Amino acid sequence: MPVITYRQALNDALSEELTRDENVVIMGEEVAEYNGAYKITEGLWKKFGSKRVVDTPISEAGFIGLGVGAAMMGMRPVMELMFWSFAYVAFDQIINNAGCVRYMSGGLINLPLVIRGPANGGTNVGATHSHTPENFLANTPGLKVVCPATPYDAKGLMKTAIRDNDPVCFMENTLLYGDQGEVPEEEYLIPLGVADIKREGADVSLIGHGRAVITALNAAHRLAEEFDISAEVIDLRSIRPLDEETILDSVRKTHRAVLVDENKPFCGVSSQIATLIQEKAFDDLDAPVQRVCSLDAPAIYSPPVEALQLPTVDRIIQKVLAIS
Amino acid sequence: MLRIRRFEQASLKLYQQGKMGGFLHLYIGQESVAVGTCSLLGPNDHAITAYRDHGHALVVGMSMNECMAELLGKATGCSKGKGGSMHFFAPDKNYWGGHGIVAGQTPLGLGIAYALKYKGLKGCCLTYLGDGAVNQGVFHESLNLAALWNIPVVYVIENNQYSMGTSLARSSAIKACLAERAEAYAMDWDIVNGENLYEVRAKTFDAMERAREKCRPSILEIDTYRYYGHSVADANAKVYRKAEEIEFYKQNHDPIMLWEKRLKDEGVADDALIEKIDNEAKAEAAASVAFAEDSPFPELEDIFTDIYHEVDMGTEAGRTGRHFFND
């Protein structure tokens, strides 16, 4: 099976869907002639032309709103946010329009829209460029939120997101763009709302999404090598829909859970998972649910300190040892 | 125009009887705008507006029944009681709402028009906004994109002189007119006397043709006036403007009165015909009240439908995972 990067997997998904459906267009800042700020759309403008791959002004509220209007008319726009941090200036369009129009119209209007881009800290760009707003978005019924961790998932989930008839917030991670992984040549789709067991284990469940999954896998490796603890790693893949059953099945098997989340702890995604486990699997727990989140402050610039602000392997191991 | 007025008066009565929740933004006084513009919509033309959306809804062909039922939050409403006064929709009539955030609909109209152009359809999107919306950033982003990309959108500013309780003089730095902002984007613009239905139609037609034939966007500023407060719940309706001002407009500038006079002067209509039309409008409004009152409310479980297409359709995608956390 060919080994490609997370970036290339996304690029392939976009290219294949542009080819498959003429209602798909890509829009965003620098996506066309510049080839994408993070090169996710590299070569697409040259291949598909200015009608299908469109450079926008720096105008997130304007062009995301335009995408919502176009989606109402049956197009399938894929809108790139250079950073999900920039979504905040378009939140009215994302929440009030993309998120609510189907409901307020009594189901008369579908919104097959994808909004994508990187959402992460860890790149030393300061607080305004490091937000991970999946908790805000998942808090809006009507939106779907997808966070792939591997090249294989990135491609399969992106193709599904584009074909989905609801608005999907697709959250990538710049620190994963260069990661490599096996991706089949033949077409495949990954359904939204199905978590993936990235590593089987018996003693503790490490549950996360996005790059936190990679950190959790590294922690699981060390737990096995150094402490003889068998950790199961659950990759949520999408926050909404959320695959509750895979989470609960894993906790029922291991009886311990450590949630790993690059989101902030206060009202974050991990808060929701923790609530779910205590509501539906409390009797199966042998220890309190633990969380390893980003430290609860705006993203610090200082590079060595920001690396510690995000969930680290060491912090995961400490939490696991505390409940083992 | 009479249908809108009688519908609005009937809805006001229901509101005052406490049968309606939330806000009710009446269109009374502004009828000539929706009638003059929406009546020009062709098969490939579309319309979208803000929260004062009842008038446009009736002109594009929505029934009084589905509109009145929506106001009462009934399951027979156009949005099944999920949208309310500010959120009327009829995609089958190319009517895309009904949006509650000031100026939030302005890029949506752009996207609708963009899709028309993309699909090679010769049409345009009338995108309505109030005078308060011109000061929102997203409106200016929309104008920039419309002019930059040659999008067949016509922005119609319904200037009723008050953004909620704040007069134009206190809210807009550009005093002369609002449409002039188009100059900054090299867009065509015009000022329209909303009392003159012929003028409304002629100038709107020109703007729509410019959009349809040349993909050039325009701004039309239509001068109009609303008789009631920003909403019926507007406690300061008679504080921020004098009662005499409202009375002056009612007596001298009522669009229906002026239109009836003109039709009679031209010999097109007489009192008997006007009375007949008015009686039909009153009867239709009364029937819609009865229909709405007799209709059932949605069931509690209806709260969870119409959120996701895939769930409603029972598709494979809708069956995976959990969309709702509270069950």
Side-chain angles (χ1 to χ4, degrees):
Chain A
M1 204 183 292
V3 174
I4 62 172
T5 61
Y6 186 99
R7 170 185 285 113
Q8 187 61 46
L10 289 168
N11 184 276
D12 288 352
L14 296 171
S15 183
E16 287 175 23
E17 293 306 301
L18 279 164
T19 303
R20 194 184 65 81
D21 184 350
E22 66 171 18
N23 286 312
V24 176
V25 291
I26 290 175
M27 273 191 202
E29 292 152 10
E30 311 291 8
V31 297
E33 298 191 34
Y34 190 90
N35 275 318
Y38 286 103
K39 305 294 176 210
I40 305 305
T41 55
E42 187 161 26
L44 298 181
W45 174 65
K46 201 170 177 187
K47 186 173 173 188
F48 294 96
S50 296
K51 189 180 177 191
R52 309 290 307 282
V53 184
V54 186
D55 279 327
T56 66
I58 298 176
S59 188
E60 281 83 3
F63 75 73
I64 296 289
L66 187 153
V68 173
M72 287 161 106
M73 294 282 285
M75 292 183 65
R76 293 184 174 274
V78 181
M79 318 301 286
E80 175 174 304
L81 290 167
M82 199 181 290
F83 296 85
W84 265 101
S85 292
F86 301 166
Y88 292 111
V89 298
F91 248 39
D92 175 51
Q93 298 303 321
I94 298 171
I95 306 292
N96 280 317
N97 288 337
C100 297
V101 158
R102 178 164 219 282
Y103 195 71
M104 294 193 306
S105 68
L108 294 174
I109 297 172
N110 291 327
L111 268 173
L113 174 73
V114 175
I115 307 171
R116 55 152 292 269
N120 59 287
T123 49
N124 321 132
V125 288
T128 59
H129 285 60
S130 304
H131 290 293
T132 57
E134 57 266 44
N135 54 327
F136 293 99
L137 300 161
N139 195 245
T140 299
L143 297 178
K144 295 179 177 178
V145 181
V146 178
C147 307
T150 65
Y152 177 86
D153 289 351
K155 184 175 181 188
L157 290 167
M158 175 60 81
K159 286 171 69 78
T160 304
I162 293 172
R163 298 184 196 188
D164 197 282
N165 289 311
D166 294 311
V168 179
C169 299
F170 198 93
M171 312 182 82
E172 303 151 16
N173 190 307
T174 49
L175 293 168
L176 295 178
Y177 282 152
D179 280 15
Q180 295 190 323
E182 287 189 335
V183 175
E185 280 177 342
E186 61 273 18
E187 179 171 279
Y188 66 97
L189 298 166
I190 299 173
L192 309 187
V194 179
D196 186 37
I197 302 170
K198 286 284 192 280
R199 177 187 173 121
E200 300 260 4
D203 300 330
V204 61
S205 300
L206 305 180
I207 302 166
H209 64 280
R211 201 177 72 104
V213 174
I214 309 302
T215 313
L217 283 168
N218 291 334
H221 180 72
R222 268 188 53 196
L223 283 166
E225 295 283 312
E226 298 173 21
F227 302 97
D228 197 28
I229 291 174
S230 165
E232 179 150 288
V233 177
I234 303 294
D235 177 1
L236 300 173
R237 295 204 291 204
S238 66
I239 305 303
R240 192 158 192 161
L242 183 71
D243 184 351
E244 295 187 356
E245 288 313 309
T246 300
I247 297 168
L248 295 171
D249 286 348
S250 180
V251 172
R252 285 172 186 139
K253 183 173 75 171
T254 65
H255 310 294
R256 288 177 175 80
V258 175
L259 314 181
V260 188
D261 189 1
E262 293 196 355
N263 207 214
K264 296 292 191 288
F266 198 90
C267 299
V269 172
S270 63
S271 316
Q272 179 62 38
I273 311 296
T275 303
L276 169 75
I277 294 171
Q278 86 84 22
E279 280 180 345
K280 296 189 178 173
F282 183 78
D283 290 344
D284 295 285
L285 288 171
D286 284 346
V289 173
Q290 299 292 316
R291 295 197 289 161
V292 179
C293 304
S294 284
L295 300 180
D296 200 12
I300 191 168
Y301 158 69
S302 183
V305 186
E306 196 197 7
L308 299 174
Q309 184 170 15
L310 293 168
T312 62
V313 168
D314 285 341
R315 280 167 59 203
I316 296 169
I317 290 172
Q318 283 167 18
K319 290 288 186 188
V320 171
L321 294 179
I323 57 169
S324 292
Chain B
M1 286 201 279
L2 280 168
R3 285 182 70 235
I4 297 173
R5 183 153 303 184
R6 297 310 179 200
F7 175 87
E8 295 289 66
Q9 287 170 335
S11 68
L12 172 62
K13 204 170 161 190
L14 286 176
Y15 193 90
Q16 288 167 335
Q17 289 168 353
K19 292 177 178 168
M20 213 178 285
F23 301 126
L24 180 68
H25 305 97
L26 294 176
Y27 202 63
I28 294 176
Q30 301 185 208
E31 295 91 341
S32 58
V33 182
V35 169
T37 53
C38 288
S39 59
L40 292 167
L41 294 169
N44 284 331
D45 300 321
H46 295 251
I48 185 168
T49 188
Y51 50 82
R52 203 177 300 282
D53 59 348
H54 308 165
H56 315 76
L58 294 178
V59 181
V60 301
M62 290 177 70
S63 73
M64 281 197 197
N65 281 0
E66 63 183 319
C67 292
M68 196 64 82
E70 188 62 31
L71 293 182
L72 291 192
K74 298 299 182 79
T76 52
C78 56
S79 301
K80 302 181 192 167
K82 292 176 172 176
S85 166
M86 297 186 282
H87 308 116
F88 286 2
F89 295 88
D92 61 326
K93 297 175 176 69
N94 293 354
Y95 183 56
W96 298 97
H99 295 267
I101 305 295
V102 171
Q105 79 286 4
T106 54
L108 267 54
L110 196 64
I112 292 164
Y114 177 90
L116 289 169
K117 185 177 176 182
Y118 182 89
K119 291 166 188 271
L121 297 168
K122 199 179 264 194
C124 67
C125 184
L126 295 182
T127 303
Y128 297 86
L129 57 148
D131 45 281
V134 301
N135 298 318
Q136 285 276 25
V138 73
F139 175 56
H140 291 264
E141 294 189 31
S142 301
L143 297 186
N144 182 57
L145 285 162
L148 184 70
W149 290 353
N150 291 317
I151 295 181
V153 62
V154 178
Y155 284 107
V156 179
I157 302 170
E158 300 194 46
N159 181 1
N160 65 22
Q161 306 180 38
Y162 294 91
S163 48
M164 200 171 154
T166 304
S167 70
L168 211 51
R170 295 200 297 124
S171 63
S172 175
I174 300 177
K175 302 294 183 197
C177 71
L178 303 175
E180 195 180 356
R181 291 166 196 233
E183 287 286 335
Y185 302 96
M187 282 170 66
D188 293 291
W189 60 280
D190 211 339
I191 306 283
V192 185
N193 175 8
E195 293 172 5
N196 185 336
L197 208 49
Y198 289 130
E199 184 178 325
V200 173
R201 279 175 62 90
K203 289 186 171 178
T204 306
F205 180 80
D206 287 347
M208 291 174 80
E209 278 294 279
R210 194 155 49 232
R212 288 185 289 225
E213 298 298 328
K214 299 177 191 163
C215 281
R216 288 302 300 166
S218 307
I219 299 182
L220 297 178
E221 177 184 345
I222 306 187
D223 291 327
T224 185
Y225 194 80
R226 66 168 147 82
Y227 292 172
Y228 287 86
H230 168 69
S231 77
V232 179
D234 182 353
N236 290 318
K238 287 175 182 156
V239 175
Y240 59 79
R241 53 181 188 175
K242 292 192 172 77
E244 298 85 64
E245 177 186 309
I246 301 168
E247 198 52 37
F248 174 79
Y249 274 91
K250 282 185 182 175
Q251 295 303 323
N252 301 288
H253 295 280
D254 185 89
I256 296 178
M257 179 188 78
L258 293 172
W259 180 239
E260 287 175 354
K261 182 175 183 307
R262 183 149 192 174
L263 291 178
K264 284 194 278 189
D265 289 348
E266 291 175 358
V268 179
D270 56 18
D271 285 332
L273 177 62
I274 292 167
E275 195 183 342
K276 179 172 174 286
I277 293 169
D278 194 20
N279 285 338
E280 284 170 4
K282 282 178 184 164
E284 190 184 358
S288 75
V289 170
F291 171 81
E293 293 203 288
D294 290 344
S295 292
F297 287 105
E299 302 291 332
L300 185 59
E301 50 266 35
D302 293 333
I303 281 182
F304 296 115
T305 57
D306 304 317
I307 301 174
Y308 295 102
H309 171 275
E310 310 288 1
V311 175
D312 294 337
M313 300 301 144
T315 66
E316 191 181 344
R319 285 193 290 275
T320 57
R322 305 297 311 145
H323 287 86
F324 312 114
F325 292 120
N326 55 349
D327 57 1

